[in-house]
Amino acid sequence: MLTPMTQLDEFNHILDTQNIRMVYQPIVSLFDGSLFGYEALTRGPDNSTFHSPSVLFEFAEKNGYLYELEKLAREKAIQNSILQHKQQMLFINISSPVIFDPKFKAGQTLEVLQQRGLSPSNVVFEITERISIEDFTLAKKVLEHYRNQGYKIAIDDAGAGYSSLQAIAELQPDYIKVDRSLVQNIHKFKIKEYIMETFVTFAQKMNIHLIAEGIENEEEMMKLSRMGVHYVQGFLLGRPEPHAAVISERLTTMITQQKADYSPAGMTWTIGDIKAPIQTFELSTKISHVADYFTLNEVASGVVITSANKPIGLVMRERLFQQLAGQYGFSLFWKRSIESAMDPEPLVVDEFLQVEQVSQMAMSRLHNKLYDYVIITSNGFMSGVSSVQSILACITNVRLESARVASPLTGLPGNIQIHRELQKRASSNQKFSVIYADLDYFKWYNDLYGFQKGDQLLQFTADIIQQSVMAFAHSQDFVGHIGGDDYIILSHNDKPELLCEEIIRRFEQGVHLFYEGTTTRGVKDRQGNAVNSDGVTISLALVICDCKYQPITLEQISEAAAQLKKQAKSQKGSVYCSCDLLNGQADYRPVTEIKEVNSAH
């Protein structure tokens, strides 16, 4: 009778037979909802004591097999890679002890990558901290060797402890993966929000990209998007699977709409808006001809190589002359085709991509390509280029203008942008809705609980309005902050009444948290008169504008909204009331149709 294998025998059998499998969890961009890449995760054999990755790796570490296991996992991750194009990234976990292992030899990973048709630029080594790094000088030396080959570095579990923060300061990674403990319910806890803001500010200053882990609901994702986090990962986007992920169209629409809402009206710049002309050469052009062009045109920093007016390569002046300046450089290259000297994989983008998105792509390139031109196409054909300097200058100017006219409390577009958006819609021939939102008895709350709590309530209201708009996800919708406790939504939703009900439902579900467990007796109006109310409520005025036959003026919208607002405030609780505005004439709904939606709705 056979005796059961010991744990060590079972583990060695797993290594010998390479009996582990890889699953991949998607990482999604919060700029456009695209699949940025995957984190490769290891699973042991089914029905085995080593099925759990934590058990598998802890045993390997304890018994001195960590290097062998991680090498196998690394190779499997690459061999079974599900990357769909060269811009996607594969995140591979490496624990800190393996970095210092003498068996961790250069070239092994590169060989496997080449067999799979990938390059180091597709790989991010994600430093996990099963054991904290103690010798940062040596770690930096080792990791710099891999950076020079084109690999990138990520620090995992940031925010979970001091050691990860020290690793960030010492190693200066390309990516920071923020731990789930900081992400979970971040839309509900201000302290988590403040900590994340620190990470965002730091990342912006250091040109590091943030990846928030453990995203499980839409509210978390939207909050992180508004805060400026770059990428997200979690069950909401996709569970670890052996096959390629498909991100739901709903989530992609929510992400793109979120960015549209936070792009100041009239100030959304595409990369095509800042393109500049550039000299192009055909693929058959001799290197000598391009070098002569640079000599005669001292201000020219680069040229684009085209075929049938489509860009296929980039030549930067400095890099070409460095190549020619080497020993035998002229004799070797002078008469060759420019194809042998060009970069065959430049960054090529469509003219309608937003400038901030292109900036992210440009700054994710290899260090030696960071300041190369970005090539811009129109319908696939050569259109122009932009320098990194022009891209960053554009972003700076847009942000300064946005900060100048946005609400300092909520960050939402202010009255200048609101007026612009209203004017644009009112003069169109499209049907749209205007929803004015106003808090009732906010002055009473502010006086009783203080300005800080009052500001939090205003921010909460802004958040639930945006979340509600996101739930219906229309690409042209706009949210603005008029001032104080007044907000505005411009929507192209077919059923704006449902949007009003969703705003009220979310408000009623969350507003009770702001009373800190106290009763809400003694509510007073602005004149100090006692009113019959359970606390702060929200009133919505819905004006459905039909501009098909005749444009509608802003005065007509304002007049109709004022009448509706008066009706709504005459009712108890959170309510909305509506009217149809056609050819300048408002058809008010009877008061009996005013909907009241409580927390049980």
Side-chain angles (χ1 to χ4, degrees), residues 7 11 18 90 159 190 204 229 250 262 272 306 336 397 434 440 498 509 520 531 562:
Q7 274 197 312
F11 181 84
Q18 299 188 359
L90 179 62
K190 280 293 180 182
Q204 288 173 344
V229 172
R250 170 183 167 79
Y262 272 81
T306 61
R336 289 188 183 180
N397 291 336
V434 180
D440 309 314
L498 296 181
Q509 280 186 341
T520 55
V531 294

Side-chain angles (χ1 to χ4, degrees), residues 173-216:
D174 303 284
Y175 300 91
I176 295 174
K177 300 194 77 175
V178 183
D179 187 69
R180 180 178 182 273
S181 62
L182 185 56
V183 170
Q184 189 176 27
N185 290 324
I186 190 170
H187 57 295
K188 295 181 179 178
F189 296 99
K190 280 293 180 182
I191 185 65
K192 290 186 177 184
E193 180 182 335
Y194 297 150
I195 295 172
M196 183 65 77
E197 284 177 352
T198 303
F199 273 114
V200 170
T201 301
F202 173 78
Q204 288 173 344
K205 292 181 181 296
M206 298 298 294
N207 191 32
I208 296 173
H209 296 92
L210 290 180
I211 303 172
E213 297 183 294
I215 309 298
E216 295 190 357

Side-chain angles (χ1 to χ4, degrees), residues 93-137:
N93 290 291
I94 296 181
S95 57
S96 53
V98 168
I99 297 174
F100 306 110
D101 196 304
K103 300 189 288 291
F104 191 59
K105 297 177 182 177
Q108 293 176 329
T109 303
L110 180 59
E111 184 178 340
V112 183
L113 282 170
Q114 291 172 340
Q115 292 172 358
R116 185 63 178 78
L118 300 173
S119 69
S121 62
N122 293 117
V123 174
V124 181
F125 285 138
E126 187 173 322
I127 309 300
T128 60
E129 292 197 276
R130 296 188 182 95
I131 300 175
S132 62
I133 299 173
E134 295 184 0
D135 189 344
F136 280 105
T137 301

Side-chain angles (χ1 to χ4, degrees), residues 415-416 418-427 432 434 436 488 490 543 545 551-562 581:
N415 288 317
I416 294 176
I418 291 170
H419 181 83
R420 189 179 296 147
E421 286 292 312
L422 265 172
Q423 188 69 57
K424 181 172 66 176
R425 286 165 171 77
S427 59
F432 71 100
V434 180
Y436 282 91
I488 189 171
L490 307 181
V543 183
C545 306
I552 294 174
T553 68
L554 301 191
E555 290 76 14
Q556 291 166 339
I557 296 173
S558 179
E559 182 180 338
L581 191 60

Side-chain angles (χ1 to χ4, degrees), residues 546 550-553 556-557 559-560 580-587:
D546 193 339
Q550 180 179 328
I552 294 174
T553 68
Q556 291 166 339
I557 296 173
E559 182 180 338
D580 294 303
L581 191 60
L582 178 63
N583 296 329
Q585 299 298 315
D587 181 15

Side-chain angles (χ1 to χ4, degrees), residues 39 49 61 86 99 294 299 308 383 404 428 476 515 532:
E39 179 181 356
T49 56
E61 185 179 312
K86 292 182 179 180
I99 297 174
F294 281 132
V299 297
S383 181
R404 184 179 70 83
S428 72
Q476 298 182 57
Y515 300 125
N532 182 19

Side-chain angles (χ1 to χ4, degrees), residues 33 218 221-222 236-238 247-256:
E218 295 171 0
M221 184 178 73
M222 291 296 96
L236 177 67
L237 293 313
I247 308 304
S248 79
E249 185 177 347
R250 170 183 167 79
L251 291 179
T252 302
T253 303
M254 288 179 69
I255 291 169
T256 54

